[in-house]
Structure formats: structure tokens, C-alpha cells
Amino acid sequence: QVQLVESGGGLVQPGGSLRLSCAASGSIFSINDMGWYRQAPGKQRELVARISSGGTIDYEDSVKGRFTISRDNAENTVYLQMSSLKPEDTAVYLCNAGATLTSRSTIEVWGQGTLVTVSS
């Protein structure tokens, strides 16, 4: 199957920056869309940003101009550069990917999540 391993979360002061990484590994033929979601305590999971294999990008409105998503197709890795962080960005950030396996079946995979805390 496919595993997603995230890294880069932590504690940052308001106005600071963090970079999240998510690497896919396993029986991969290709990785299709990749994205970042977040879930704050007591709130529903929401899409933060996603990027297609061809580079088409969508952002949630509140992060436009502050967050940048990118991917390295050769490394099956997606990044989320977060700047001008606000306390309301505090959440568990989860990586998501659509993958075509070497068997040619397709699956959706989630990472385990990485906590981002924005606080002074």
C-alpha cells in the first residue's frame, strides 16, 4: 500500500513561519492530487491547500497569500510553507494524497497528522 509521513509541525509565535513536509512511499505507480487539511479542536476538518499532479493549486480563502503549497513529483513529496501564522491557524495538519498503485488500483491515503500551535 502507500504511507504518508509528515514532518515540520511545532510551536511558533504569531507572525512566524513553518514548513510542513509529507512524503509518500510504498507500492506507488503515481501520485495524483496531494493536499493539506487541518482540524482544530471542536471544529470540522477543512481543506487548506491542494495541488494536482499537473500543478493546479487551490487554497482555502483564509490562507491565501500566507501559505504556499508545492510538490516534488520525483520524490512524491508535498510541502506547505506557512507564513504570517495566526493563532487561528492552530490545528492538526493532515496530509492527503490520491495514489495509483503498481497494481493500477487507486486509493486515498491520509497521514497521521502533525500539530501546529501558534501562540505567544
Side-chain angles (χ1 to χ4, degrees), residues 26-73:
S27 303
I28 298 169
F29 176 75
S30 65
I31 298 291
N32 307 316
D33 287 5
M34 301 187 82
W36 290 95
Y37 288 71
R38 65 186 179 187
Q39 188 161 19
K43 294 187 177 181
Q44 289 190 333
R45 186 175 297 182
E46 64 175 358
L47 175 67
V48 176
R50 64 185 168 197
I51 182 169
S52 72
S53 56
T56 301
I57 292 173
D58 293 304
Y59 292 105
E60 194 270 328
D61 285 346
S62 70
V63 308
K64 288 179 179 177
R66 300 189 297 122
F67 291 10
T68 302
I69 190 170
S70 61
R71 64 188 285 172
D72 182 334
N73 289 330

Side-chain angles (χ1 to χ4, degrees), residues 5 9 11 18-19 27 30 35 44 58 74 90 107 109 112 118-119:
V5 178
L11 173 63
L18 279 176
R19 188 191 195 209
S27 303
S30 65
Q44 289 190 333
D58 293 304
T90 295
I107 62 171
V109 191
Q112 79 284 359
V118 184
S119 175

